[in-house]
Amino acid sequence: MSGKEPPRDSGWLLLIHQIPPKPNYFRVKIWRHLQKLGAVAIKNSVYALPSNEEAQEDLNWVLREIVEGGGDASLVEARLIEGLNDEQVKEMFRAARDAEYQAVGEEVRQLSRGLPRRGEMPEEKRREMQGAVARLQKRVADIAAIDFFHARSREAVDGLLRELDERLAARVPDKEPGTTVIMEKPRRATWVTRTGIHVDRMASAWLIRRFIDPEAKFKFVSAREYRHQHGELRFDMFDGEFTHQGELCTFEVLLARFEVTDAALRPIAEIVHDIDLKDEKYGRTDNAGFEHLINGIAMAHPEDSVRLQRATAVLDDLYEYFKRKRRGAEG
């Protein structure tokens, strides 16, 4: 599949099938074929793809393969009315792609641990690791091609790969990663991010408007269709000016790049980091409660402007809590 953006509200293609229990390899073969297309199982033996001509052709080939193997299959175009809704199915697609991105991210971290801490890397070792990075970049590109609804872990793995690639390209790979250039705060800029904002984008937009650019304007765009306009600042999106950098989420990158040092923002950064990167780096006890709130906002409000409005109120109050808590501790 080419990974083109599915039309809005185009419905779903459902492959409903029965496969003979033997031979077992045939069932595995069909499952792998469906995985390669990016299909997800919404019920037992019912796989879905966003409806478009290319997906229909792909699933017709799978259907023919099932029938020729002695099974039975039907391809149905459907709209969801009761039970599962469209957003829940889209979240299934995001979860499937997130798991794949996160698996790549863990491999990148393992590669990073293999970098020598001191001295130059032998050229043979450097070429070996660069080859491994290239293979992982190809895997990310393959996942992105079937990432129809913009899974949230793409920016995280891109940041890890970008940092590792830069360290391998440097003559001395043990330089301090994440060297930060302090930037002047923009005024009345247009800030662009992907639609369907979640924890890192919600928190980053709040941070921008409250601490960096009070008159900021926000655009929420389809990552596949967006074309960068001169003067626009992209955050938490592929090739953005402000996005994941190594092990840092976008919120942390913005804090560093604009030298925002308010101590009450540190615990918020730690919460956002753990929820977004899912690495439990800080292991704060308040992570779960905040994640439930963010998930509730996302489930209840499909409009990004409304999500940001609701998240802003929550983050304003959370910031006030940490600010007063810090003052109390100092007193």
Side-chain angles (χ1 to χ4, degrees):
M1 297 189 70
S2 67
K4 294 179 181 177
E5 185 79 11
R8 291 184 182 275
D9 303 320
S10 57
W12 304 95
L13 289 173
L14 305 181
L15 180 68
I16 305 167
H17 67 275
Q18 289 182 322
I19 299 176
K22 300 291 182 181
N24 189 58
Y25 76 83
F26 181 63
R27 181 180 297 274
V28 173
K29 179 182 177 183
I30 296 299
W31 177 81
R32 286 178 176 167
H33 197 160
L34 288 166
Q35 291 291 105
K36 187 175 181 180
L37 297 177
V40 299
I42 62 171
K43 298 286 183 183
N44 287 337
S45 301
V46 180
Y47 281 80
L49 277 175
S51 180
N52 56 49
E53 290 182 6
E54 191 171 5
Q56 184 171 339
E57 182 179 351
D58 288 336
L59 289 176
N60 267 319
W61 280 106
V62 180
L63 182 150
R64 185 180 303 178
E65 193 174 10
I66 291 170
V67 172
E68 289 176 352
D72 182 50
S74 299
L75 185 59
V76 178
E77 187 169 29
R79 293 187 181 277
L80 302 175
I81 299 174
E82 295 289 341
L84 283 172
N85 60 40
D86 287 337
E87 187 56 35
Q88 288 172 319
V89 175
K90 289 177 184 179
E91 194 58 35
M92 290 181 178
F93 280 91
R94 294 187 192 108
R97 303 293 84 81
D98 273 334
E100 293 167 355
Y101 284 133
Q102 287 162 19
V104 175
E106 185 52 41
E107 290 191 43
V108 179
R109 290 186 180 96
Q110 289 177 5
L111 272 178
S112 296
R113 295 182 194 115
L115 285 174
R117 293 187 176 276
R118 298 185 179 279
E120 291 192 28
M121 180 185 299
E123 194 57 35
E124 183 179 348
K125 177 70 171 177
R126 186 195 304 276
R127 285 197 298 269
E128 177 187 331
M129 294 193 74
Q130 285 174 330
V133 168
R135 288 190 292 274
L136 291 172
Q137 289 170 333
K138 172 64 165 57
R139 275 178 58 190
V140 170
D142 289 343
I143 298 167
I146 55 173
D147 185 6
F148 308 116
F149 301 108
H150 314 307
R152 291 181 276 272
S153 297
R154 168 75 188 275
E155 277 67 40
V157 72
D158 278 335
L160 291 168
L161 276 168
R162 187 163 47 247
E163 182 187 59
L164 180 55
D165 200 30
E166 289 170 357
R167 293 176 68 189
L168 286 170
R171 179 170 176 79
V172 181
D174 64 336
K175 72 171 186 176
E176 188 68 25
T179 302
T180 302
V181 177
I182 307 302
M183 299 185 64
E184 183 178 348
K185 293 179 181 178
R187 297 181 62 187
R188 304 186 187 90
T190 297
W191 296 77
V192 182
T193 194
R194 294 174 295 122
T195 191
I197 61 172
H198 207 260
V199 60
D200 198 12
R201 281 167 285 157
M202 289 182 191
S204 294
W206 169 80
L207 179 72
I208 288 164
R209 184 165 278 164
R210 177 144 185 183
F211 294 93
I212 296 169
D213 185 1
E215 296 181 64
K217 293 176 288 186
F218 292 105
K219 279 175 63 174
F220 307 102
V221 302
S222 165
R224 295 180 189 273
E225 298 174 352
Y226 171 70
R227 296 295 177 267
H228 184 229
Q229 303 295 316
H230 178 70
E232 292 182 342
L233 299 174
R234 296 162 292 181
F235 67 99
D236 203 56
M237 59 189 297
F238 183 65
D239 277 346
E241 287 78 14
F242 306 96
T243 189
H244 284 245
Q245 180 179 328
E247 296 282 359
L248 301 179
C249 66
T250 302
F251 188 92
E252 294 171 298
V253 168
L254 287 165
L255 286 176
R257 295 280 291 277
F258 292 105
E259 204 173 16
V260 182
T261 57
D262 189 319
L265 292 171
R266 176 45 48 194
I268 296 176
E270 292 175 355
I271 294 170
V272 172
H273 174 104
D274 276 2
I275 296 172
D276 190 49
L277 273 72
K278 296 178 172 59
D279 60 2
E280 298 183 358
K281 179 178 179 179
Y282 299 103
R284 297 185 59 91
T285 57
D286 26 24
N287 286 348
F290 188 74
E291 185 171 15
H292 290 329
L293 278 171
I294 293 298
N295 287 341
I297 290 171
M299 290 175 184
H301 305 287
E303 307 89 351
D304 289 302
S305 58
V306 178
R307 288 188 184 187
L308 179 54
Q309 182 182 21
R310 304 284 288 194
T312 294
V314 171
L315 286 159
D316 279 340
D317 291 346
L318 190 62
Y319 169 75
E320 190 64 26
Y321 167 76
F322 285 123
K323 189 175 180 180
R324 295 191 183 197
K325 183 179 179 183
R326 181 172 179 81
R327 284 177 182 168
E330 291 173 347

